Amino acid sequence: MNRTQSAPPGHPRSHAAFARALKVMPGGVNSPARAFGGVGGEPLFFERGEGAYLVDIDGRRYIDYIGSWGPMILGHSHPKVVAAVQEAAARGTSFGAPTEAESELAELIIEAVPSVEQVRLVNSGTEATMSAIRLARGFTGRDAIIKFAGNYHGHVDSLLVAAGSAAATLGVPNSPGVTVGTTQDTLVLEYNDAEGLERTFRQRGSQIAAVIFEPVVGNMGCVVPTKAFLHALREQTTSHGALLICDEVMTGFRVAYGGAQSVFDIHPDLTTLGKVVGGGLPVGAYGGRREIMQHVLPAGKVFQAGTLSGNPLATAAGIATLQVLRDEKPYDLLEERSARLAAGLSSAAAEVGLPHSIARVGSMLTLFFASEPVRDWPTAAKCDTARYSKYFWELIGRGIYMPCSQFEALFVSTAHGEAEIAATIDAARRSLQALSVQ
Ligand SMILES: *Cc1c(COP(=O)(O)O)cnc(C)c1O
């Protein structure tokens, strides 16, 4: 990892803003991935987003592939989403009482994701996975859960065991403050390892409340599940009475309108959502079979609550986003543009003879600086992260804002047109050429 590189010249305002932020916030940020720990140097501060572009406070424009880490599938400042939020705000920002809009968003989710019969809205992906785990334990009366190395499910204590995402890049497999007692109930297995899963169920099947997994991993870079793995997940959980929790916080409404479960024919008991479902405002959701969801308070006894859950602004942004996705069905277009981008990045790397592999599902993809395909955390960990950080900074200099870590997927939005894709491939080619002569 290259920690000595500082922000390139020409960002004096970002530099000053970061110095100010460092005084008042730990690491100068409100979420660690933003601090550029995975690529070294100082983060850029932004002023506004327009479609596929972000503008930093020094007035530089970038084609954005982080997309707020997933939510911005319609690009920034989509007029319908902005109008919906403005209208909602004018009617009052929070009531702490039911609104019809909450049922509308719930109905949109249930229509889109057939395995979800009832849903509870929360404020983040973390809340969704935390609540789904509690519900699975309450429903089954069991304590243990299984997660997979390199999968990230938010900063839930019991899931911060060999965590992926920013924690993976930073080399912090466990967080201080997560108790040994908590982690004892979490079994961490390798992704795509059907045999490992079967072995664990043979040994401890009767204690396992749930298996939680990313149906397409985004948080160690984009990693695609094997058929055998997906089959084992459903078969083992069913035969041992455990619940299968499909964490679609990143993939939901992203890889398809019905999420990764519709692409890979997965039939989970519970699904967690976030990111796109809030259209850029803080929304998460968990849902599944009615029989299970009926255990959530006040229908049942599993406690879960939220002062701002189903907030009118957040709900309005979510509804507006899902309506556009449902009505305009942009997924073929996203597929086509993303495929072109993946092919362009791959041939740019091949031209300069860089060992690489590309993984993509719909509009999420990763160019890995690794000589073999990435299928789990051990293969992801072999990537050349120092090379990735140079590539990242070369691209910043050319007006492309890529994920600031090898272990994050990039996202294409409906606002990324032919011109943006072509410009990105061109910038990547120049950047990789610059790398190969260094
Ligand atoms: C982002 C993410 C989360 C956490 O969501 P937050 O809204 O950041 O709390 C959980 N699971 C997956 C798969 C994610 O990508």
Side-chain angles (χ1 to χ4, degrees):
M1 199 181 306
N2 185 350
R3 291 190 170 282
T4 53
Q5 178 132 26
S6 61
H11 300 88
R13 288 185 181 217
S14 274
H15 179 69
F18 190 48
R20 174 186 177 191
L22 278 169
K23 289 190 188 138
V24 291
M25 291 178 277
V29 290
N30 282 309
S31 193
R34 296 176 199 171
F36 280 13
V39 288
E42 294 182 356
L44 302 176
F45 280 59
F46 290 97
E47 188 177 276
R48 61 181 191 278
E50 302 158 342
Y53 292 86
L54 280 178
V55 180
D56 75 13
I57 60 173
D58 288 289
R60 292 176 178 240
R61 248 162 94 83
Y62 306 85
I63 304 175
D64 175 28
Y65 287 95
I66 292 188
S68 187
W69 303 94
M72 310 317 295
I73 194 168
L74 301 178
H76 296 283
S77 315
H78 189 283
K80 286 190 177 155
V81 179
V82 172
V85 173
Q86 285 172 337
E87 278 166 33
R91 290 193 303 269
T93 53
S94 185
F95 314 130
T99 58
E100 289 179 303
E102 292 160 79
S103 299
E104 194 177 347
L105 183 54
E107 284 159 8
L108 280 163
I109 293 169
I110 289 164
E111 260 170 49
V113 188
S115 72
V116 174
E117 295 171 355
Q118 281 204 320
V119 65
R120 169 64 61 87
L121 302 179
V122 293
N123 304 289
S124 69
T126 295
E127 272 189 63
T129 59
M130 178 182 75
S131 307
I133 294 285
R134 183 182 304 145
L135 174 58
R137 286 172 163 159
F139 180 76
T140 60
R142 300 172 178 183
D143 291 346
I145 53 173
I146 291 177
K147 77 164 293 248
F148 298 97
N151 284 204
Y152 177 69
H153 306 290
H155 63 96
V156 182
D157 279 16
S158 61
L159 298 171
L160 271 188
V161 183
S165 198
T169 322
L170 297 170
V172 188
N174 299 294
S175 166
V178 174
T179 64
V180 174
T182 302
T183 58
Q184 274 168 350
D185 285 327
T186 304
L187 309 171
V188 184
L189 308 181
E190 293 301 346
Y191 196 74
N192 273 333
D193 180 8
E195 280 167 27
L197 185 73
E198 285 155 10
R199 201 178 321 120
T200 305
F201 267 102
R202 260 198 312 278
Q203 288 161 358
R204 298 193 54 177
S206 64
Q207 300 157 13
I208 294 165
V211 179
I212 186 165
F213 74 108
E214 286 186 74
V216 174
V217 190
N219 290 292
M220 52 179 164
C222 181
V223 177
V224 184
T226 64
K227 269 199 177 134
F229 179 61
L230 292 176
H231 179 77
L233 282 171
R234 184 64 279 180
E235 195 200 46
Q236 292 298 311
T237 46
T238 302
S239 64
H240 290 91
L243 299 187
L244 184 60
I245 305 173
C246 190
D247 183 359
E248 297 237 36
V249 170
M250 187 178 283
T251 53
F253 300 98
R254 161 62 64 183
V255 298
Y257 192 64
Q261 55 191 271
S262 72
V263 176
F264 294 96
D265 195 28
I266 305 166
H267 301 269
D269 301 295
L270 291 174
T271 295
T272 51
L273 294 162
K275 298 194 171 122
V276 174
V277 86
L281 270 80
V283 181
Y286 66 102
R289 274 166 35 215
R290 177 184 308 273
E291 168 210 5
I292 303 170
M293 291 304 290
Q294 282 295 315
H295 285 252
V296 178
L297 202 74
K301 292 185 174 153
V302 176
F303 188 85
Q304 187 270 308
T307 301
L308 293 173
S309 292
N311 171 268
L313 269 59
T315 308
I319 292 169
T321 300
L322 298 196
Q323 281 173 340
V324 171
L325 292 172
R326 181 194 60 190
D327 298 343
E328 296 181 6
K329 298 186 177 59
Y331 294 95
D332 288 346
L333 193 72
L334 286 168
E335 171 70 23
E336 187 194 309
R337 300 243 165 95
S338 308
R340 186 165 322 152
L341 178 62
L345 294 179
S346 188
S347 63
E351 272 168 34
V352 292
L354 277 186
H356 70 284
S357 69
I358 281 250
R360 182 182 70 84
V361 177
S363 57
M364 58 190 272
L365 68 102
T366 300
L367 170 64
F368 289 108
F369 291 121
S371 43
E372 57 179 318
V374 173
R375 58 183 181 273
D376 52 18
W377 179 240
T379 47
K382 287 185 191 160
C383 288
D384 187 342
T385 53
R387 180 172 284 160
Y388 186 86
S389 74
K390 289 185 189 136
Y391 168 70
F392 170 84
W393 283 110
E394 289 287 339
L395 282 169
I396 286 288
R398 293 177 172 85
I400 311 290
Y401 191 64
M402 279 287 172
C404 48
S405 163
Q406 170 74 91
F407 304 118
E408 300 284 357
L410 72 79
F411 300 105
V412 177
S413 82
T414 57
H416 289 73
E418 309 270 327
E420 282 78 21
I421 299 293
T424 304
I425 294 169
D426 187 54
R429 177 170 290 119
R430 288 164 199 268
S431 297
L432 291 167
Q433 276 163 0
L435 281 190
S436 69
V437 298
Q438 274 172 11

